[in-house]
Amino acid sequence: MTLAAVVIGRNEGARLIRCLASLKGHTAPVVYVDSGSTDGSVAAAKAAGAAVVELDMTQPFTAARARNAGLAHLRGLSEAEYVQVIDGDCELREGWTETALSFLADHPDVAIIAGRLRERFPEASLWNQLADAEWDTPVGETEAVGGIAILRRTAVEAVGGYRDSLIAGEEPELCLRLRRAGWRIWRCDAEMAWHDIAMTRFSQWWRRARRHGHAIAEGAFLHGSGPEGYCRPQTRRALIWGLGVPLAAGIGALVWPFAGALLLVWPAQVLRLKARGEDWIQALFLTLGKLPEAQGVLGYHMARLKGAGPRIIEYK
């Protein structure tokens, strides 16, 4: 079979079992990389026939490191030309691999292809609904895709794989290096996988947005001086809306009581996003999300100044 798979996970329980079952008949071999699970995931993966890699958790954990470990282990098992990378909380959709492999065969300059990722239970919570909307991105050639995709092994290996140290945003950063090397990234109009983010609390959404802020700050630091201005606009918007506006309103109110009116630019931004095509809920939380994003940006730079290494920002 020309398509292998690398699955990463930690304490995914029944979701991992469903993930591995969805790969049968479509990918071989399957490598499962576990990051310190305590719920029997390792035994379940072995029972499902997957080769298992258990990460040394005394070293800083990142999803990028886990995916690289899976790709490295795969070298001794298979010469498959393509690799489906997938998280343990996802399930492949029927027909996806055939559609993607056919496209890759016809387009030898495409290094990574992804399709439509959907939340399995968008109605379960507002936060699941927001995630499902986040996955709905334009089809065609694109700058980057998320963590669920099919990779052309030779292309990814040629640029050195994922960057181990990134706690988030490792997929767009890999895509940037691939595009600089002359490869294309593609999102096709096909159902790719179910995802079960299982977010039920505002605090989970906040931490996830904070992690995104950390990712864009690190991306801008690594590559922002390049011609693409990688992550610089996102970082600038996070700081302006999530730090500059509330700071100006707060400090200004000390000397002028009406300075708090500056906060009205937030509802104005919601209206602008709604006029651009977002629905009300998305517009509201895209605006509100700049607060935790700014927190993540500042957190990254403070950690860098202290010389701290990568740290996990969980949201589950």
Side-chain angles (χ1 to χ4, degrees):
M1 186 174 289
T2 190
L3 179 64
V6 169
V7 184
I8 66 171
R10 177 172 53 184
N11 292 330
E12 298 297 351
R15 296 187 297 185
L16 175 63
I17 295 172
R18 290 194 296 268
C19 173
L20 295 172
S22 75
L23 298 173
K24 287 186 177 180
H26 304 288
T27 66
V30 174
V31 176
Y32 170 64
V33 183
D34 187 81
S35 303
S37 292
T38 57
D39 67 346
S41 289
V42 169
K46 289 179 178 177
V52 174
V53 176
E54 296 184 66
L55 291 183
D56 177 3
M57 295 306 290
T58 64
Q59 303 297 318
F61 160 75
T62 66
R65 177 184 164 216
R67 291 194 180 100
N68 279 338
L71 291 171
H73 191 76
L74 194 59
R75 294 189 195 108
L77 301 178
S78 171
E79 296 182 358
E81 186 176 0
Y82 306 109
V83 181
Q84 172 74 59
V85 287
I86 187 169
D87 295 349
D89 58 2
C90 297
E91 299 170 59
L92 284 191
R93 304 287 294 273
E94 285 295 328
W96 159 247
T97 57
E98 293 82 359
T99 298
L101 292 178
S102 175
F103 186 92
L104 287 168
D106 292 340
H107 299 81
D109 60 342
V110 172
I112 300 181
I113 187 170
R116 177 65 160 101
L117 183 66
R118 293 185 188 273
E119 281 304 312
R120 180 173 282 283
F121 305 110
E123 72 288 347
S125 72
L126 171 61
W127 324 114
N128 283 14
Q129 178 185 335
L130 289 169
D132 190 64
E134 180 183 329
W135 311 140
D136 189 11
T137 56
V139 301
E141 187 170 2
T142 186
E143 293 184 354
V145 295
I148 319 305
I150 291 181
L151 317 178
R152 191 183 297 271
R153 269 176 90 174
T154 53
V156 171
E157 290 176 353
V159 299
Y162 296 91
R163 186 181 291 265
D164 276 358
S165 63
L166 298 182
I167 68 165
E170 68 276 3
E171 306 94 352
E173 195 273 342
L174 170 62
C175 290
L176 173 70
R177 288 184 282 117
L178 285 165
R179 289 188 290 109
R180 286 178 173 179
W183 294 96
R184 294 197 296 163
I185 313 300
W186 203 270
R187 188 179 298 278
C188 67
D189 186 15
E191 297 295 320
M192 177 177 64
W194 292 113
H195 182 258
D196 186 8
I197 199 167
M199 278 203 297
T200 59
R201 302 185 304 277
F202 175 79
S203 60
Q204 292 173 300
W205 171 84
W206 183 279
R207 287 194 295 271
R208 187 169 183 266
R210 179 163 59 96
R211 189 176 67 166
H212 176 68
H214 186 290
I216 59 177
E218 189 164 19
F221 176 75
L222 291 170
H223 301 294
S225 61
E228 307 89 351
Y230 181 70
C231 285
R232 288 176 64 185
Q234 299 97 310
T235 303
R236 183 168 56 248
R237 286 194 293 269
L239 290 175
I240 290 173
W241 290 98
L243 181 64
V245 170
L247 196 61
I251 294 175
L254 296 176
V255 296
W256 185 48
F258 298 105
L262 283 171
L263 295 178
L264 292 175
V265 299
W266 277 355
Q269 172 70 346
V270 172
L271 292 172
R272 189 184 75 83
L273 292 174
K274 178 63 174 67
R276 196 181 69 179
E278 307 287 354
D279 66 32
W280 284 111
I281 295 295
Q282 287 174 272
L284 173 62
F285 281 93
L286 282 171
T287 303
L288 182 61
K290 294 299 180 285
L291 289 166
E293 284 179 14
Q295 185 183 15
V297 170
L298 294 176
Y300 165 71
H301 286 294
M302 289 179 66
R304 185 174 62 83
L305 290 173
K306 293 177 181 178
R311 59 190 178 91
I312 303 171
I313 300 178
E314 293 287 1
Y315 64 88
K316 291 186 179 179

